[in-house]
Amino acid sequence: MAVKKVKNPKTGRIYLSIVQSYRDKALKHSKAVTIKSLGYLDDLEKEYDDPISFFTAEAKRMDEQRLKDNADYTFSIAKNA
């Protein structure tokens, strides 16, 4: 996951969102899905000292949690059980 920054050409404001990229095998190109919309950078700077680094770390944590949740489980059962 990553933080996507999109600049509005009319207002010049930058909008932040957390996106996850994946490869579409049927169309044979990559796509991105918005996981969480965050808001405009100038508004977020009022709440956070450095919103880009904060949400980059948050996106990394979310990606680690996603990988952990999708991990394979291995278990064993005794023969006499």
Side-chain angles (χ1 to χ4, degrees):
M1 290 188 208
V3 175
K4 182 178 179 181
K5 298 170 273 195
V6 178
K7 185 175 182 180
N8 186 331
K10 293 181 181 178
T11 62
R13 295 176 78 190
I14 298 174
Y15 193 82
L16 299 179
S17 57
I18 295 177
V19 297
Q20 180 179 3
S21 298
Y22 67 96
R23 177 102 178 141
D24 188 347
K25 293 180 182 178
L27 298 176
K28 297 187 179 185
H29 61 82
S30 61
K31 290 186 172 186
V33 176
T34 301
I35 303 298
K36 188 174 183 180
S37 296
L38 302 172
Y40 286 103
L41 180 60
D42 53 348
D43 293 337
L44 293 171
E45 285 176 335
K46 296 173 186 174
E47 297 177 38
Y48 304 97
D49 293 332
D50 187 8
I52 294 176
S53 65
F54 176 80
F55 287 112
T56 300
E58 182 69 15
K60 184 177 179 182
R61 186 197 59 77
M62 290 171 64
D63 196 36
E64 289 172 354
Q65 184 64 36
R66 179 187 61 86
L67 293 173
K68 181 180 169 185
D69 291 344
N70 291 337
D72 294 334
Y73 292 103
T74 305
F75 60 93
S76 60
I77 301 173
K79 291 181 183 179
N80 59 358

